Structures are given as structure tokens and as C-alpha cells.
Amino acid sequence: MSSVNLREMVDELMAGTGSSGRATHVFRAVTGGALSQVLLVLREGRELSEHDNPGEALLHVLRGRVRLIVGDGTCALGPDEHLVIPQERHSLLALEDAAVLLTIVKSRA
């Protein structure tokens, strides 16, 4: 059993974003299991393009500000804000350098 310092990991990922302006680290509760978390960093102005939800998902902003776009609706979030991501196509835009933790439970077929 080992712990992870998310603040330090965010700093490391931010330093490694390069020209793409984004970086990720995936945590899995159990190999091949349904539960995972994705630590995602995005530089200001970068976007996670529109995509489907792979299952139930929660978004927790650790640093910076982001905008979640779902259909015609948007929601701006800042540090320490948490949101259930609707079961619709959506995208995420970094309004400033940002780090978010996505918790995902994949749908079982």
C-alpha cells in the first residue's frame, strides 16, 4: 500500500505537458476493474474534445478553472468544486492552467 501526493503529481504533469498542453496519469483500483481515476492537467486554452461518457463519472477540480460543455449548457468550475458529469457527450476547456481528477465507473455490458 502506498499513497500519492496529488499536488506533487500535478506539478510533475504540468512540467511535462509539452506542445500538447495536456498530460494524464491513470489510477486503477483493481487491474481490469470498473473503477478508475484519471488525473488530467490542461494548459490554459487547451481542450479535451467532445466525447461520450465511458460510464458514471465525477469531476473534481484540483487547480485552476475549467468549463464543462454539455450540449448547449456550460458549467464553469474552480478549485475544490465537484460535479457529476451528465450521461451525454461533453468536452472540457481549461480557462487557465488546470488539474482535475476524474473518477469513472465503466459501464458493464
Side-chain angles (χ1 to χ4, degrees):
M1 186 166 38
S2 63
S3 66
V4 174
N5 184 308
L6 290 176
R7 187 171 293 136
E8 290 175 3
M9 188 168 278
V10 165
D11 290 342
E12 290 174 21
L13 288 174
M14 274 294 180
T17 56
S19 62
S20 72
R22 71 185 216 183
T24 61
H25 181 87
V26 177
F27 302 94
R28 300 216 185 275
V30 176
T31 302
L35 175 66
S36 63
Q37 288 189 306
V38 178
L39 180 59
L40 167 68
V41 297
L42 291 169
R43 292 289 184 179
E44 181 177 355
R46 298 298 181 154
E47 182 178 29
L48 187 58
S49 61
E50 189 176 62
H51 58 281
D52 290 316
N53 252 352
E56 296 177 57
L58 303 169
L59 174 70
H60 182 111
V61 180
L62 302 173
R63 182 184 297 175
R65 295 192 53 75
V66 297
R67 176 172 292 128
L68 181 71
I69 301 116
V70 181
D72 293 334
T74 66
C75 182
L77 301 160
D80 300 321
E81 291 189 297
H82 185 262
L83 177 77
V84 173
I85 299 175
Q87 290 292 315
E88 299 176 46
R89 289 186 62 77
H90 60 277
S91 61
L92 186 70
L93 172 68
L95 301 174
E96 58 191 50
D97 287 356
V100 299
L101 187 63
L102 295 165
T103 301
I104 303 161
V105 178
K106 289 185 182 175
S107 300
R108 300 270 184 187

